[in-house]
Amino acid sequence: MQNFTLHTTTEVVFGRDIEKNVGPKLKELGASRVLVHFGGGSVKRNGLLDKVEQSLTDAGLSYIELGGVSPNPKLSLVREGIALAEKENVDFILAVGGGSVLDSAKGIGMGVATGRDPWEFASTGTAPDKTLPVASVLTLAASGSETSNSCVLTNEENMEKRGITSQTNRPCVSFLNPENTYTVSKFQTGCGIVDIMMHTLERYLTPGDGSDITDRLAEGLLIAVRDAGRVAIENPCDYEARATLMWAGSVSHNGYTGCGRASTFPVHKLEHELSAFHDEIAHGAGLSVLFPAWALYVMEHDIPRFAQLANRVFGVEMDFVHPERTAREGILTMKRFFAEIGMPVRMEQLGLKPEDYETLANNAVKTVRGPVKSYVPLDEQAIVSIFKLAE
Ligand code: NZQ
Ligand code: ZN
């Protein structure tokens, strides 16, 4: 087991009917004027925004609203939010929505507190050291942003999508009511299932020393998400399935399933280029196309680990003579699972054509300033080969 530090600072309030606690908790944390941030309208249509704002009012807190966050959240709205928060003397930000709303809220929080444009951090790979407090009422189990140290923004001026990593990005409190995910579409539920699995897989499928306890936690999470995912796709209002996905989403990306292992996140790095290139590509959909291709490309560098995953999580019988067959069958089983839950598994299903591959590969290498780290460094040629495996 490698050395590690785990400091997950987000308080999680989980379960039914917790929206009424939002106002009192924010007051306890020192809020007085709150910026309520949300997306394209789902929280208005399903009544959640009204409930949350009522709770703020009941607690004697004043608030202003800023809606309109789009999937793959945009820097321009973050900048608008920073200006609004400064003008209105906001001292607390409450995100009501999915990962995009959360990340937009984090961008506003760091911008106000540091007095710097968030893109300065994103474009230079530096980290903010303070933020206005950010809280969330999560509506979609997927990104893990409700407890993560990450914030991913898209700059529409050059269509670059970049992450900002900082301990200060972790929300101070997140409210997780699985019922608030009942209205999530089958497609977005599928995207969430893939993203949750990927946050653990990108910590599990890495070279170097690891640890049995971390492996077993990761494998348990993957099995639970696979099974609950099937149920939630079939019956969107199954509380236990939605609860499993919601908690797994947080656990999968707060660092817990990677303790003692290296992590490099190559599939995420490649995916961010896809959803930056075509804004309508959902993060989870890009991942479901890329993961099997990436896995087939690199598996020869760690056959025992891919075979272990195949056997323990997907029930593929271990072929001790030809473990590469087990490893390969595991990857194909996972690809079939993604297709079964309605996710794309081929580049053309994302609207991407072979003539786009070089640009995408070039962008990926440019973003990380060199080859993408993985079992082997992935240069432009390797990345194009992965895209071809995803055809
Ligand atoms: O905008 P509204 O109307 O709310 O609709 C959203 C949006 O269209 C809808 N939705 C959310 N909750 C709903 C709902 N519809 C009905 N009922 C509900 N309860 O779902 C659509 C997608 O929402 P979005 O927030 O974009 O999805 P997700 O949570 O998957 O977040 C994706 C973003 O997070 C980033 C991704 O790159 C992407 O930009 N990530 C952030 C991470 C982090 N900060 O730690 C890590 C991830 O790896 C990821 O990169
Ligand atoms: Zn992700």
Side-chain angles (χ1 to χ4, degrees):
M1 191 187 302
Q2 299 178 28
N3 292 0
F4 68 90
T5 301
L6 182 69
H7 191 193
T8 53
T9 48
T10 306
E11 178 175 351
V12 174
V13 183
F14 195 102
R16 293 182 167 99
D17 208 22
I18 51 168
E19 296 73 30
K20 62 179 187 312
N21 302 337
V22 173
K25 173 53 79 177
L26 265 53
K27 191 170 187 181
E28 180 192 316
L29 292 170
S32 59
R33 187 147 173 79
V34 181
L35 175 65
V36 180
H37 201 31
F38 54 93
S42 69
V43 295
K44 282 196 167 179
R45 289 191 292 279
N46 63 21
L48 176 62
L49 193 67
D50 283 344
K51 275 196 230 170
V52 170
E53 290 179 346
Q54 188 60 52
S55 166
L56 296 178
T57 304
D58 292 347
L61 300 178
S62 76
Y63 64 86
I64 53 167
E65 289 183 349
L66 179 64
V69 179
S70 60
N72 304 319
K74 309 297 176 299
L75 184 64
S76 57
L77 189 72
V78 171
R79 287 176 175 156
E80 197 183 311
I82 293 168
L84 180 68
E86 285 171 349
K87 179 168 149 262
E88 294 283 341
N89 287 319
V90 160
D91 55 20
F92 213 104
I93 304 171
L94 176 62
V96 187
S100 294
V101 176
L102 260 141
D103 286 358
S104 188
K106 291 177 180 184
I108 296 170
M110 73 177 73
V112 173
T114 62
R116 291 175 61 189
D117 187 274
W119 201 251
E120 280 182 39
F121 301 113
S123 60
T124 56
T126 52
D129 58 358
K130 51 188 166 188
T131 181
L132 279 193
V134 174
S136 81
V137 179
L138 186 68
T139 65
L140 177 52
S143 69
S145 185
E146 67 277 9
T147 58
S148 83
N149 60 0
S150 169
C151 161
V152 186
L153 300 174
T154 296
N155 184 345
E156 319 89 299
E157 285 163 17
N158 50 15
M159 284 320 279
E160 285 179 0
K161 183 174 182 180
R162 298 219 168 157
I164 303 165
T165 305
S166 168
Q167 183 64 12
T168 58
N169 278 339
R170 294 190 198 270
C172 52
V173 55
S174 284
F175 294 87
L176 274 54
N177 178 349
E179 292 173 334
N180 290 332
T181 64
Y182 286 176
T183 53
V184 176
S185 67
K186 280 191 194 306
F187 175 71
Q188 286 295 341
T189 301
C191 288
I193 292 164
V194 174
D195 198 18
I196 295 167
M197 292 179 108
M198 286 308 306
H199 292 153
T200 285
L201 281 172
E202 295 251 49
R203 292 173 163 97
Y204 185 94
L205 295 168
T206 59
D209 294 344
S211 90
D212 195 40
I213 173 70
T214 295
D215 277 5
R216 301 283 180 179
L217 288 167
E219 290 153 3
L221 182 143
L222 291 165
I223 291 168
V225 170
R226 179 199 63 197
D227 294 351
R230 283 189 169 123
V231 175
I233 292 275
E234 195 61 35
N235 179 7
C237 298
D238 186 299
Y239 183 85
E240 289 306 324
R242 290 292 195 183
T244 294
L245 293 181
M246 203 167 211
W247 184 224
S250 297
V251 173
S252 191
H253 204 33
N254 68 5
Y256 194 59
T257 60
C259 291
R261 296 197 62 82
S263 76
T264 48
F265 274 69
V267 187
H268 267 73
K269 291 190 177 115
L270 299 187
E271 193 298 308
H272 285 168
E273 297 306 333
L274 269 47
S275 47
F277 189 71
H278 273 325
D279 190 39
E280 64 281 6
I281 295 177
H283 175 59
L287 292 172
S288 66
V289 170
L290 290 178
F291 171 74
W294 167 84
L296 289 173
Y297 188 84
V298 299
M299 74 169 207
E300 63 175 312
H301 301 285
D302 203 350
I303 294 286
R305 212 152 171 76
F306 279 91
Q308 176 178 299
L309 173 74
N311 176 254
R312 291 189 186 168
V313 176
F314 291 101
V316 179
E317 197 178 332
M318 184 64 85
D319 184 335
F320 291 99
V321 182
H322 297 290
E324 70 281 2
R325 290 184 189 162
T326 312
R328 191 179 177 80
E329 186 52 28
I331 296 165
L332 296 179
T333 306
M334 189 135 175
K335 186 172 176 176
R336 285 194 291 273
F337 170 71
F338 288 167
E340 176 201 323
I341 60 169
M343 286 292 99
V345 287
R346 295 196 319 277
M347 291 291 264
E348 67 173 5
Q349 292 173 285
L350 300 174
L352 293 168
K353 302 187 181 64
E355 54 265 36
D356 300 327
Y357 296 174
E358 267 188 41
T359 309
L360 290 165
N362 184 272
N363 291 349
V365 169
K366 206 175 87 193
T367 300
V368 301
R369 299 180 191 90
V372 174
K373 286 189 190 138
S374 185
Y375 280 102
V376 283
L378 303 173
D379 59 13
E380 287 178 50
Q381 211 182 346
I383 296 168
V384 169
S385 301
I386 290 172
F387 293 155
K388 285 187 179 158
L389 282 170
E391 280 178 336

